[in-house]
Amino acid sequence: MSKTPEIGAPAPDFTLDAVHLSDGEARREALTLSAQRGRPLVLAFYPGDDTAVCTKQLCSYSSGFEQFTDLDAAVWGISPQDLDSHEKFARKHGLRMPLLADTDHSVVRSYGIGLGNNALRRAVFIIDAEGILRWKHVALVGLTYRGVDTLTAQLKLLRG
């Protein structure tokens, strides 16, 4: 298994297809990490749509969405399911962040969080406005996740 990127190093760039609900409409587009420069980004890797812990995690991020946007930060959810699965999941739970489909696990591999059998570790990476990795948490066991308060505290540190 490859290693996760080091704090202070450029975050591995990628482009993935995403679905994002806005006013009940699903917008599908390709999102590129390097095109996000200029504002911080929270990358939340989660194992699966509509599973117990993943649902709790992404619903908490969606409920606390203003706390992220107040810090001018974007939040992207990334998992291996396809866009149809992501759209169904987002609609069912009213998720407000884009969900990106890493169906070939290429981004999971580049971030060093893959497990055997095409599984992945639950992980969160915070990338600053210049594309540098500033904080990460990779779970050993995916039954817990880092909450909005932890993530926004780390985002506040980026502001100096």
Side-chain angles (χ1 to χ4, degrees):
M1 182 168 88
S2 61
K3 295 179 73 164
T4 62
E6 296 294 323
I7 301 295
D13 197 17
F14 62 85
T15 299
L16 289 175
D17 289 330
V19 63
H20 186 201
L21 296 183
S22 180
D23 297 325
E25 295 296 317
R27 185 176 73 243
R28 293 182 181 207
E29 62 185 325
L31 294 177
T32 300
L33 180 68
S34 57
Q36 180 63 30
R37 298 251 167 86
R39 67 188 292 210
L41 176 64
V42 176
L43 292 182
F45 288 88
Y46 65 100
D49 291 340
D50 227 6
T51 58
V53 178
C54 297
T55 299
K56 280 184 183 176
Q57 177 184 14
L58 293 204
C59 284
S60 76
Y61 295 171
S62 190
S63 294
F65 203 67
E66 283 78 14
Q67 294 177 62
F68 294 111
T69 58
D70 287 350
L71 295 167
D72 194 34
V75 179
W76 292 355
I78 302 176
S79 75
Q81 291 76 42
D82 64 23
L83 291 181
D84 290 338
S85 176
H86 283 346
E87 183 175 341
K88 182 179 174 188
F89 180 45
R91 285 187 185 284
K92 181 176 180 181
H93 298 287
L95 301 178
R96 297 163 44 183
M97 74 285 292
L99 300 180
L100 289 73
D102 186 20
T103 56
D104 68 358
H105 292 79
S106 60
V107 179
V108 165
R109 282 190 301 277
S110 69
Y111 279 78
I113 57 170
L115 296 169
N117 299 326
N118 287 328
L120 65 117
R121 293 187 188 279
R122 184 179 313 281
V124 179
F125 297 86
I126 294 180
I127 300 162
D128 72 13
E130 287 74 44
I132 304 300
L133 179 62
R134 296 297 177 191
W135 185 86
K136 64 182 174 180
H137 179 266
V138 180
L140 293 178
V141 179
L143 301 177
T144 61
Y145 59 89
R146 294 299 167 256
V148 172
D149 290 344
T150 299
L151 300 179
T152 55
Q154 292 299 319
L155 288 164
K156 287 175 185 173
L157 292 175
L158 296 181
R159 301 177 106 185

